[in-house]
Amino acid sequence: TQIFFCEKMRKFFLLFVLFFFMTILNFISSATTGTGSHKLKLISVAVITRHGDRTPIDPLPDENEQFWKASLEKKPVSGFAKEMFQRYESELSDLKHKLWGQLTAKGCYQLRDLGSSFRKKYVNELKFLPENVDLDSIKLWSSGKQRTLESGQHFFLGLYPTKFRDESIPIVYPTTFIQIPSKNKEKGSIWKDSNLEKKYQTQLNYLHYFYSSVYPFGPKFDNYHSVIDISSTLFCRQHHIPYSLPIPFPFPVVNQFHILANEIQSSVVNSMSKVTKKSIYSQFFSTIVNTLTEAKNNKIIKFSLFSAHDTTLLEVLDILGINIRKFGNPIYASNIEFQLFENTSSGEYFIKAFFSGKELPIFTCGSANSFECPFEKFSNLF
């Protein structure tokens, strides 16, 4: 009886072990194909990235010009597109263009490191992209700003270092990149909202007190535009502590500048009507959709990079239905990554989104699974 019982227990144990390993194998198989219900094949990737660390655009009165000059990359890098060399000669002729709003050496390395991380993922691990560059399979888009043009080139120096290519990556520019409407442009009328001024008047008065105490003869501080400009410059300085000039305000005040700047920008976006948003967003978002559609149809374009700005990322997040007030301002080299997949079982196409490597829901897609958006629905988000 004991022998029979032991034999029965042994068979039960073997069946349990077999079942356990089958479950593990099934889990691994599901993880590698995207979901357990269908297999997804990666077709193309589109990445929108913020440029790297830069010098201030609106310097404070005591800004240290010598420090910021020393922070810049000294000369064009081998592997840059020919257009870049021409721009260095033709457009960077005066101090403002040479110094303010320019990519720093730190920013160059941020984008190169980001490109290297994408090489590790898509070339080394997934074997999705070829080891050596294939210019037919990649695209580089950039806004017309020098810092984004350089950032795009440095990203590709990380993705495809010069030893893996014989030539530079051509740039598609200029293109219309969505940004929160500028106070200096026609669409800036959206900013002329007296309710916005009243809503933040107490905080504005509080920050104005500190600003006028430190800079009594500095540029005029009179509205929420000043908050955004000063917040941006303080952000630049904070990224270079302890080498830059000291932060001129106590930390709680600096933090309040950043919080209020984020509140104001998100309030402007949230106050826009759908018609207004469409007029601002649609051209850039259509470029992304058209690029992925081309990749879907010809299976040639595997990787597209859009070198852009923090406001570009914020409004793409808004298109996806993300609460940008809670999200905060994207830091340098932040990126939104769209992966286009084909369901090999049904022939349908899906989009997955990521923010700096973390999976992102597409709430506006309206599908049951917000992490997988049918491409047809994605194409019509805006």
Side-chain angles (χ1 to χ4, degrees), residues 191 193-208 221-225 227-228 256 259-271 325:
W191 287 87
D193 182 354
S194 58
N195 293 327
L196 195 64
E197 194 84 60
K198 293 174 183 176
K199 183 177 180 181
Y200 299 112
Q201 193 60 57
T202 302
Q203 294 100 310
L204 285 169
N205 291 340
Y206 170 76
L207 295 177
H208 181 270
F221 183 134
D222 58 356
N223 58 27
Y224 35 82
H225 295 305
V227 174
I228 294 171
Q256 188 59 40
I259 291 172
L260 186 54
N262 179 62
E263 279 285 319
I264 291 169
Q265 291 194 116
S266 58
S267 292
V268 170
V269 171
N270 292 335
S271 68
R325 176 179 275 108

Side-chain angles (χ1 to χ4, degrees), residues 108-126:
C108 298
Y109 288 112
Q110 285 175 333
L111 268 294
R112 229 177 290 184
D113 289 345
L114 182 62
S116 296
S117 70
F118 275 80
R119 179 175 181 83
K120 180 182 178 183
K121 178 179 180 179
Y122 288 111
V123 177
N124 300 339
E125 296 175 0
L126 298 179

Side-chain angles (χ1 to χ4, degrees), residues 74-85:
K74 303 301 182 185
K75 59 182 180 180
V77 180
S78 174
F80 268 25
K82 293 177 182 178
E83 301 99 309
M84 295 297 297
F85 292 97

Side-chain angles (χ1 to χ4, degrees), residues 33-321:
T33 55
T35 72
S37 58
H38 53 260
K39 296 181 179 179
L40 300 179
K41 178 184 177 183
L42 184 59
I43 301 298
S44 188
V45 178
V47 178
I48 308 105
T49 182
R50 187 187 180 186
H51 55 75
D53 179 79
R54 60 163 172 76
T55 60
I57 295 175
D58 299 285
L60 292 170
D62 62 351
E63 216 62 65
N64 185 339
E65 291 186 3
Q66 292 306 313
F67 166 76
W68 290 116
K69 280 182 181 178
S71 75
L72 299 178
E73 189 87 348
K74 303 301 182 185
K75 59 182 180 180
V77 180
S78 174
F80 268 25
K82 293 177 182 178
E83 301 99 309
M84 295 297 297
F85 292 97
Q86 295 168 0
R87 291 176 72 87
Y88 267 92
E89 296 299 324
S90 64
E91 292 191 9
L92 306 185
S93 56
D94 61 85
L95 179 64
K96 182 177 179 181
H97 282 120
K98 284 183 179 178
L99 188 56
W100 305 126
Q102 299 301 318
L103 194 70
T104 64
K106 182 178 180 178
C108 298
Y109 288 112
Q110 285 175 333
L111 268 294
R112 229 177 290 184
D113 289 345
L114 182 62
S116 296
S117 70
F118 275 80
R119 179 175 181 83
K120 180 182 178 183
K121 178 179 180 179
Y122 288 111
V123 177
N124 300 339
E125 296 175 0
L126 298 179
K127 311 295 182 186
F128 175 68
L129 293 175
E131 183 178 19
N132 296 301
V133 71
D134 174 10
L135 293 181
D136 292 329
S137 67
I138 60 175
K139 273 192 174 183
L140 167 58
W141 300 78
S142 177
S143 73
K145 298 293 184 182
Q146 184 72 15
R147 58 185 176 272
T148 55
L149 287 161
E150 291 182 20
S151 291
Q153 292 290 308
H154 280 287
F155 179 95
F156 273 107
L157 281 172
L159 183 62
Y160 283 109
T162 51
K163 67 179 180 179
F164 295 109
R165 50 166 148 156
D166 298 324
E167 51 190 315
S168 62
I169 311 296
I171 308 168
V172 182
Y173 77 96
T175 186
T176 301
F177 275 62
I178 53 177
Q179 293 193 55
I180 290 175
S182 167
K183 57 191 174 185
N184 300 319
K185 295 180 181 179
E186 186 180 346
K187 290 192 176 87
S189 59
I190 297 168
W191 287 87
K192 295 174 183 177
D193 182 354
S194 58
N195 293 327
L196 195 64
E197 194 84 60
K198 293 174 183 176
K199 183 177 180 181
Y200 299 112
Q201 193 60 57
T202 302
Q203 294 100 310
L204 285 169
N205 291 340
Y206 170 76
L207 295 177
H208 181 270
Y209 167 77
F210 282 95
Y211 178 84
S212 59
S213 299
V214 177
Y215 302 116
F217 304 107
K220 190 176 180 182
F221 183 134
D222 58 356
N223 58 27
Y224 35 82
H225 295 305
S226 303
V227 174
I228 294 171
D229 294 341
I230 295 169
S231 169
S232 174
T233 299
L234 292 174
F235 186 77
C236 291
R237 282 198 187 186
Q238 285 177 293
H239 268 246
H240 290 268
I241 290 175
Y243 306 106
S244 66
L245 279 176
I247 304 299
F249 310 110
F251 177 75
V253 177
V254 173
N255 197 40
Q256 188 59 40
F257 267 108
H258 295 328
I259 291 172
L260 186 54
N262 179 62
E263 279 285 319
I264 291 169
Q265 291 194 116
S266 58
S267 292
V268 170
V269 171
N270 292 335
S271 68
M272 294 181 197
S273 67
K274 192 167 183 179
V275 173
T276 302
K277 285 184 178 182
K278 188 168 185 177
S279 68
I280 299 170
Y281 297 180
S282 58
Q283 188 169 351
F284 176 69
F285 191 69
S286 294
T287 304
I288 297 172
V289 170
N290 292 340
T291 301
L292 290 171
T293 301
E294 187 179 349
K296 168 179 167 288
N297 293 337
N298 63 25
K299 304 292 193 298
I300 295 175
I301 302 172
K302 290 192 168 186
F303 193 93
S304 303
L305 177 71
F306 298 83
S307 184
H309 306 268
D310 55 346
T311 47
T312 317
L313 269 67
L314 282 174
E315 297 192 6
V316 172
L317 290 170
D318 187 43
I319 290 173
L320 304 184

Side-chain angles (χ1 to χ4, degrees), residues 337-351:
E337 178 184 352
F338 291 122
Q339 295 178 338
L340 173 65
F341 285 93
E342 180 184 6
N343 180 340
T344 56
S345 301
S346 65
E348 295 178 306
Y349 290 85
F350 292 84
I351 288 289

